[in-house]
Amino acid sequence: RLTEEAFHAVGRHLDELVREFEALPLPQVREQVFDLLQTVDALHRAGLTRLTEILRRQGAEAALERAAEDPIVRTLLVLYDLAPEPPPVAAPGTTSFIPLDRIGRAPVRAVRRPVLAEVARVEEVPPGTMKGVEVEGIPVLLANVAGTVYAVRNVCPGSVVPLSLGSFTPPVVVCPWHNEAFDVRTGKRADGEEGPGLGVLPLAIEEGAIKLAVAIAAMPAGPGPRQR
């Protein structure tokens, strides 16, 4: 039986393999590999979707929710947008609050200036193109829209394939895994569908060098306005 630790290890190994295939100098091999991944993904999505629909039609919603409490099961359901909604914090007509004696003041931290790290040159990302880079081990996608460079996390929510392997029609990048589309300027969905957006990262351009704030890039990022 696969343990939770082993499950995450398999996920990390899969991510490593995807990165290795991404770096292959043979475009045809890369295309075949990702075509294989997309085909397997389509089969898994169809099977899991039908399974959850059958359970719901048979009134087994409670059983599905209990199954989703398992970390491995929930990871798989979330990956395919099939996870049941989490239960409400408080039942209707009740009040939920945090006792005053449990509220404390956050410690005051010294404000430090972000450290900017050069990740690429402007000429490496000409208008209408995108490029995948890494900052402190964090995958980042640089995209040039009409001469302005933007930076977002190089990963589609719920996917293991880098966005840099997808298609780019400025300002929209399309994930090669689920065909989800995002506006690289804002990180928001650009296909009219609901769902999480991309983490937008602040950058600076100094003497032709594209620089990202290392500390901020390493933090969880949500969609928001780009900062320069």
Side-chain angles (χ1 to χ4, degrees):
R1 181 180 178 180
L2 193 66
T3 65
E4 184 177 350
E5 182 179 355
F7 175 79
H8 290 298
V10 170
R12 289 192 296 270
H13 182 56
L14 177 60
D15 184 63
E16 292 172 357
L17 290 175
V18 168
R19 292 175 185 275
E20 290 178 5
F21 282 118
E22 182 184 12
L24 286 178
L26 303 173
Q28 290 183 344
V29 174
R30 291 202 305 269
E31 292 175 3
Q32 289 178 345
V33 168
F34 288 110
D35 182 48
L36 171 64
L37 289 174
Q38 288 177 334
T39 302
V40 173
D41 172 74
L43 291 174
H44 289 173
R45 177 177 291 273
L48 283 172
T49 299
R50 182 165 298 186
L51 175 61
T52 55
E53 288 176 349
I54 291 174
L55 289 174
R56 290 190 171 101
R57 284 200 302 267
Q58 294 183 351
E61 185 75 27
L64 181 60
E65 292 179 357
R66 287 195 298 272
E69 293 176 359
D70 181 273
I72 294 178
V73 174
R74 184 160 190 86
T75 297
L76 194 59
L77 293 176
V78 168
L79 185 64
Y80 291 100
D81 303 317
L82 297 172
E85 292 294 326
V89 176
T94 64
T95 302
S96 177
F97 63 94
I98 301 176
L100 292 177
D101 59 355
R102 293 181 57 186
I103 299 178
R105 298 181 60 183
V108 178
R109 297 181 179 179
V111 178
R112 294 185 300 174
R113 184 178 180 180
V115 177
L116 298 178
E118 180 176 343
V119 294
R121 302 287 302 177
V122 173
E123 56 267 25
E124 296 178 51
V125 195
T129 68
M130 59 182 178
K131 177 182 177 65
V133 297
E134 281 197 3
V135 182
E136 295 291 307
I138 304 299
V140 175
L141 178 69
L142 302 176
N144 191 321
V145 180
T148 301
V149 180
Y150 298 85
V152 295
R153 292 290 179 85
N154 191 16
V155 59
C156 175
S159 171
V160 296
V161 180
L163 281 171
S164 54
L165 294 178
S167 61
F168 181 48
T169 304
V172 177
V173 60
V174 178
C175 172
W177 188 266
H178 293 143
N179 291 323
E180 296 177 347
F182 304 89
D183 189 323
V184 296
R185 300 170 300 179
T186 63
K188 296 181 179 179
R189 291 289 291 263
D191 49 16
E193 300 291 334
E194 295 183 356
L198 303 177
V200 179
L201 302 172
L203 60 77
I205 296 179
E206 299 178 357
E207 299 180 352
I210 303 173
K211 297 183 177 182
L212 292 176
V214 175
I216 296 178
M219 295 171 58
R226 175 174 173 271
Q227 303 175 25
R228 288 295 302 273

